[in-house]
Amino acid sequence: DAMVIQNPRYQVTQFGKPVTLSCSQTLNHNVMYWYQQKSSQAPKLLFHYYDKDFNNEADTPDNFQSRRPNTSFCFLDIRSPGLGDAAMYLCATSTGKRQLAKNIQYFGAGTRLSVL
Amino acid sequence: AQTVTQSQPEMSVQEAETVTLSCTYDTSESDYYLFWYKQPPSRQMILVIRQEAYKQQNATENRFSVNFQKAAKSFSLKISDSQLGDAAMYFCAYTPGDYGGSQGNLIFGKGTKLSVKP
């Protein structure tokens, strides 16, 4: 059974048109992450939530925002997508508790975003 | 800043043979974790193996084992008896042990694309 679910798997949007990507988890983990992975590159962390505490990476553009309405769901909002934002977006979770976590992150299958 | 380097963009192995993927990292921390993640084409990333820096014994998981050389900051992955299903992108990743306020954020290498020939 899928534990970290990302919807949709493929998303097409127009240049400048806001888009929202969704992630849900059944693991009851405290921490949820969003990564951007461009073609043939390593995933790059955009931000993460520890419970309701939002932590933005210093080099994440303001165009990217996130919401976490409850433990299970986290959203990635791209306010005005540019051509350079076309990528795979990965959601991941971890317990956030060192004794239990062993620092393991569990990934969703990703959403591939195309910008026309 | 911590960095992870994978010097082999692509590797190829014959089915049933053994292959080793290289990874080096740079950190001033003494407590950290290292991982190998596998990302098959169009499928989700999954954890292959994990190593705690304070453990001298190399981690093993079935056909997968690591050679962890802490002083040399090297963390290679050995895949024995390679199978067609092992074909994927493999990422080496690092995270600080005390989270450092970053909640265990993973720092990835650029990946090694492994092909398995029948």
Side-chain angles (χ1 to χ4, degrees):
Chain A
D1 291 338
M3 296 179 289
V4 182
I5 304 162
Q6 291 189 244
N7 286 307
R9 289 294 308 276
Y10 301 91
Q11 176 74 56
V12 180
T13 191
Q14 292 179 332
F15 183 93
K17 184 175 181 181
V19 65
T20 295
L21 308 182
S22 170
C23 178
S24 64
Q25 53 130 342
T26 59
L27 298 164
N28 201 34
H29 281 173
N30 294 95
V31 192
M32 295 187 76
Y33 307 83
W34 279 104
Y35 291 87
Q36 180 192 62
Q37 185 180 23
K38 294 189 175 181
S39 181
S40 302
Q41 294 186 22
K44 179 180 179 298
L45 182 67
L46 295 172
F47 28 60
H48 73 273
Y49 273 95
Y50 190 104
D51 292 330
K52 291 188 180 295
D53 292 333
F54 178 69
N55 299 269
N56 199 31
E57 293 299 297
D59 56 354
T60 298
D62 293 340
N63 197 27
F64 292 87
Q65 303 287 323
S66 186
R67 295 170 286 133
R68 190 179 184 184
N70 53 54
T71 300
S72 301
F73 285 87
C74 194
F75 301 99
L76 170 62
D77 300 310
I78 308 176
R79 294 191 297 187
S80 181
L83 298 179
D85 297 328
M88 176 74 83
Y89 290 87
L90 301 174
C91 176
T93 73
S94 70
T95 69
K97 296 177 176 60
R98 185 179 181 183
Q99 310 90 295
L100 302 177
K102 302 290 187 175
N103 299 72
I104 296 172
Q105 293 188 20
Y106 298 83
F107 285 82
T111 294
R112 184 168 296 283
L113 178 68
S114 299
V115 182
L116 303 180
Chain B
Q2 298 96 347
T3 59
V4 177
T5 302
Q6 293 179 248
S7 59
Q8 305 153 317
E10 295 188 27
M11 292 281 286
S12 180
V13 64
Q14 203 73 31
E15 195 176 6
E17 298 292 311
T18 295
V19 64
T20 298
L21 308 184
S22 301
C23 173
T24 59
Y25 60 94
D26 189 23
T27 183
S28 58
E29 305 287 335
S30 59
D31 182 22
Y32 51 87
Y33 295 86
L34 296 166
F35 305 87
W36 281 97
Y37 277 88
K38 170 185 177 182
Q39 188 178 39
S42 301
R43 295 182 62 186
Q44 70 195 96
M45 193 172 310
I46 59 172
L47 178 67
V48 175
I49 199 164
R50 177 187 79 247
Q51 176 80 42
E52 291 99 331
Y54 63 86
K55 289 187 176 179
Q56 291 186 338
Q57 186 173 6
N58 288 326
T60 62
E61 288 287 342
N62 300 313
R63 299 183 294 107
F64 299 88
S65 62
V66 298
N67 183 5
F68 175 48
Q69 301 289 329
K70 190 172 184 178
K73 296 180 181 175
S74 171
F75 182 62
S76 61
L77 174 69
K78 185 171 81 171
I79 306 174
S80 304
D81 186 24
S82 297
Q83 300 175 0
L84 295 177
D86 295 333
M89 183 71 84
Y90 286 81
F91 290 98
C92 179
Y94 162 100
T95 194
D98 65 353
Y99 287 172
S102 62
Q103 298 306 326
N105 298 346
L106 287 170
I107 299 167
F108 288 92
K110 291 187 176 182
T112 297
K113 184 178 180 180
L114 178 67
S115 302
V116 181
K117 297 179 180 178

